[in-house]
Amino acid sequence: MSRSVGVVLLVLLAEAGCRMAPRESPAREVVAPVTLVDPHRHVVDVSQSQVSENPNAGFALVKVPGLPDESELDERASSLEGTFQAFATCEPACRVLVRSVAQGEVYELQGPTFTDLRPFSGLVWLASDILVFDQWTQPHYGIHYAVDVRAHRLLQAAPFTDRVDGR
């Protein structure tokens, strides 16, 4: 499969997810685009593409009762100042959770391109409130995400591949 065909398939899969009814998200102030670094060092430039024109459409942080049991947390990362903690879990479904350390509140990140069948990985805080992570959608293709947790905004949802030659 050529690289361009693989990327087109990934975008089509992501767009199919975007057609779901958007989750309610309170209105947020418009923020200027942020230049984000890629701590995962993907073989494609994830800053140059998006899976949709407005990646924030249908994205929300939804308050949940608490964290799963310690044994059910697959990955974790603390923000630079320790104000937030992020967790990846696939119990009972694959999702990313963020806990505000000061308030103790836990939120689930929900987005139209997220799939609860595939694990999230590579949780990294770029700043005190910007979390990046990946979700593989196929064996060699995935989506790279960046979230401003404080502003409850999805900043980036960019397709990527792990193959240099695109095959």
Side-chain angles (χ1 to χ4, degrees):
M1 177 185 309
S2 74
R3 179 178 177 191
S4 59
V5 170
V7 171
V8 168
L9 286 173
L10 178 64
V11 170
L12 289 173
L13 286 171
E15 285 179 343
C18 291
R19 290 189 189 111
M20 298 180 347
R23 293 173 177 88
E24 300 253 343
S25 180
R28 305 285 179 198
E29 72 179 53
V30 176
V31 178
V34 177
T35 302
L36 302 166
V37 297
D38 177 12
H40 303 135
R41 298 184 179 155
H42 295 296
V43 298
V44 297
D45 184 1
V46 293
S47 69
Q48 298 300 313
S49 64
Q50 295 284 353
V51 294
S52 68
E53 189 174 304
N54 180 5
N56 196 52
F59 176 79
L61 271 76
V62 177
K63 192 172 179 178
V64 294
L67 293 172
D69 293 336
E70 184 74 21
S71 63
E72 297 174 341
L73 300 174
D74 301 324
E75 194 173 323
R76 66 193 73 223
S78 292
S79 64
L80 302 175
E81 285 84 20
T83 53
F84 294 105
Q85 294 175 319
F87 305 90
T89 182
C90 279
E91 297 295 333
C94 296
R95 56 200 177 130
V96 175
L97 303 170
V98 174
R99 185 172 76 89
S100 168
V101 174
Q103 286 85 22
E105 296 173 332
V106 179
Y107 294 88
E108 178 181 345
L109 280 63
Q110 296 180 351
T113 59
F114 293 4
T115 175
D116 62 358
L117 302 175
R118 306 287 278 183
F120 293 91
S121 63
L123 302 174
V124 177
W125 292 91
L126 294 183
S128 62
D129 52 1
I130 298 180
L131 174 68
V132 298
F133 54 92
D134 293 337
Q135 186 176 42
W136 292 91
T137 56
Q138 299 177 24
H140 297 286
Y141 297 92
I143 301 178
H144 175 82
Y145 296 99
V147 174
D148 183 332
V149 173
R150 193 173 312 278
H152 293 217
R153 289 189 51 81
L154 180 63
L155 303 173
Q156 184 178 51
F160 70 90
T161 180
D162 63 354
R163 296 183 168 193
V164 177
D165 64 358
R167 289 187 271 156

